[in-house]
Amino acid sequence: MRRNSYIFTLAFVGMIAAFGPFVTDFYLPALPALSEYFAAPASMIQLSLTVSMIGLGAGQLVVGPLSDRYGRRLPLLLSLAAFIAATAGCIATDSIGRFLAYRFVQGLAGAGGLVISRSIATDLYSGRELARFFSVLGSVQGIVPVAAPVIGGLLLAVTDWKGIFTVLLGIGVVLLAMTLVFRESLAQRSLSITASFKGYAPVLRNRRSMRYMGLQAMAMGVMFSYISASPFIFQQQYGLSPVAYSLCFGLNAFGIMAGSLLVLRSRSSERGLALGARGFFVMALVTALVLTQGGSVWIVEASLFVLLVMLGTILPTSTTLALEPLREHSGSASAALGFLSFLVGGICSPLVGMGDMTLSTSAVITVCALATLLLARGADHTPATLQADGHLS
């Protein structure tokens, strides 16, 4: 019998899944204020975002296997305790060097929430129930990276950057208290640390799951490109005010949520993903055409909104299809999925700033969407692989 209610599990898992991206993006409107406070150049302040993303990506590779060995609850408790300590350090320090170090620890700690949230879902649910859970969870994971800066900007109107980090610290304390209440979801654990890290071997051998992971990573490349380029495109090219840009940003966040919920109507995860990948590629082409031809801001916003709706259909379906065959190694599988997404996102984000931003952004989102479509079609023909337990995936 499940010891955690569905509503509590959904709320808890949704919050810890959103935690990592929230930590990364929440303070973005405060970057100029940080530059002034630390008397540091903008490039040094932007490095605080980079080190946090590195922590988020690399941390998942470590936390995933540890959660297979020690369960989900203990690594999450340690991650949240580390986050609270690092956030307090960010608030207290007056050194940009120490601030960057604390941001890296924040990223590592946020990785715990990302990888463990998917692992908990895989521990508790299967089949259509798992797909339904990931659809709701996917709407949360999709909306947070684009909504966090909007919330941070509104908060910055009534406080300073330290106030933003104080809110982050408070969220960490709340999640720590919820984790103390949450009961362990993993029934069977790895016998040793070595065995836990060896869990990456069956993950990497499972070509079908790896294909779905690669598919999601390429789709996330589009989202990270959008996050990086949209402030410059909307505010510099089209002259939108920060408030108007924030409204567009928030509206597109709801597009991702709508797509994640829309896919619940699909007969299967495979069909939902196939349709979503086709629509995603078509809308990437439309968006690229509108950007390069200088379409009006309203046409650009409309095309981006539909593009992100399509992204919302891809995130939960690809997560379900990637993780369900590997539930005995769900921690390692979830870590690999998260790491690949941040790796591709980290590569795509600076690419959109090269040369003419409308052209570079159009090129990056088109290539990523095409790769997503090809991987979705290729998955239909990828043979099942034998897992360690002797069952076909």
Side-chain angles (χ1 to χ4, degrees), residues 34-108:
L34 283 165
S35 181
E36 182 178 346
Y37 179 85
F38 289 111
S43 58
M44 183 66 73
I45 299 301
Q46 288 174 326
L47 192 59
S48 67
L49 179 61
T50 302
V51 297
S52 178
M53 290 186 66
I54 292 172
L56 274 169
Q60 292 183 70
L61 296 177
V62 177
V63 175
L66 291 179
S67 72
D68 285 338
R69 170 63 183 89
Y70 295 106
R72 315 307 183 195
R73 190 169 176 268
L74 179 59
L76 186 56
L77 283 170
L78 295 176
S79 294
L80 290 169
F83 172 81
I84 292 170
T87 305
C90 286
I91 296 170
T93 188
D94 58 1
S95 163
I96 183 60
R98 286 194 292 271
F99 182 79
L100 292 176
Y102 290 134
R103 282 292 295 170
F104 177 71
V105 177
Q106 277 189 318
L108 287 174

Side-chain angles (χ1 to χ4, degrees), residues 189-358:
R189 307 181 188 183
S190 297
L191 297 178
S192 66
I193 291 291
T194 302
S196 296
F197 279 91
K198 285 182 177 178
Y200 281 119
V203 172
L204 296 174
R205 285 200 302 265
N206 193 309
R207 286 179 291 168
R208 189 174 180 84
S209 286
M210 288 302 299
R211 187 180 288 270
Y212 286 124
M213 291 182 193
L215 183 156
Q216 182 173 127
M218 297 309 300
M220 288 293 286
V222 172
M223 188 172 80
F224 279 107
S225 299
Y226 159 73
I227 292 172
S228 298
S230 61
F232 301 96
I233 291 175
F234 279 109
Q235 294 186 67
Q236 293 185 358
Q237 180 173 329
Y238 288 101
L240 264 63
S241 69
V243 173
Y245 165 66
S246 295
L247 291 175
C248 291
F249 212 69
L251 178 63
N252 290 338
F254 283 105
I256 298 174
M257 177 184 288
S260 295
L261 298 177
L262 182 66
V263 80
L264 287 172
R265 295 180 173 272
S266 180
R267 292 197 302 268
S268 67
S269 295
E270 289 87 348
R271 179 171 175 78
L273 178 60
L275 293 174
R278 293 185 195 122
F280 190 57
F281 177 64
V282 170
M283 287 312 304
L285 291 178
V286 171
T287 302
L289 181 64
V290 170
L291 285 173
T292 54
Q293 297 303 309
S296 73
V297 64
W298 303 114
I299 297 176
V300 171
E301 166 58 20
S303 63
L304 283 171
F305 177 82
V306 180
L307 175 67
L308 293 177
V309 169
M310 295 296 102
L311 174 64
T313 67
I314 290 172
L315 297 180
T317 50
S318 58
T319 300
T320 300
L321 293 168
L323 298 186
E324 189 164 26
L326 295 164
R327 56 178 60 247
E328 284 197 0
H329 308 282
S330 59
S332 299
S334 179
L337 177 64
F339 172 75
L340 287 174
S341 294
F342 277 95
L343 176 63
V344 173
I347 293 171
C348 291
S349 293
L351 290 179
V352 299
M354 298 177 64
D356 185 324
M357 186 166 288
T358 56

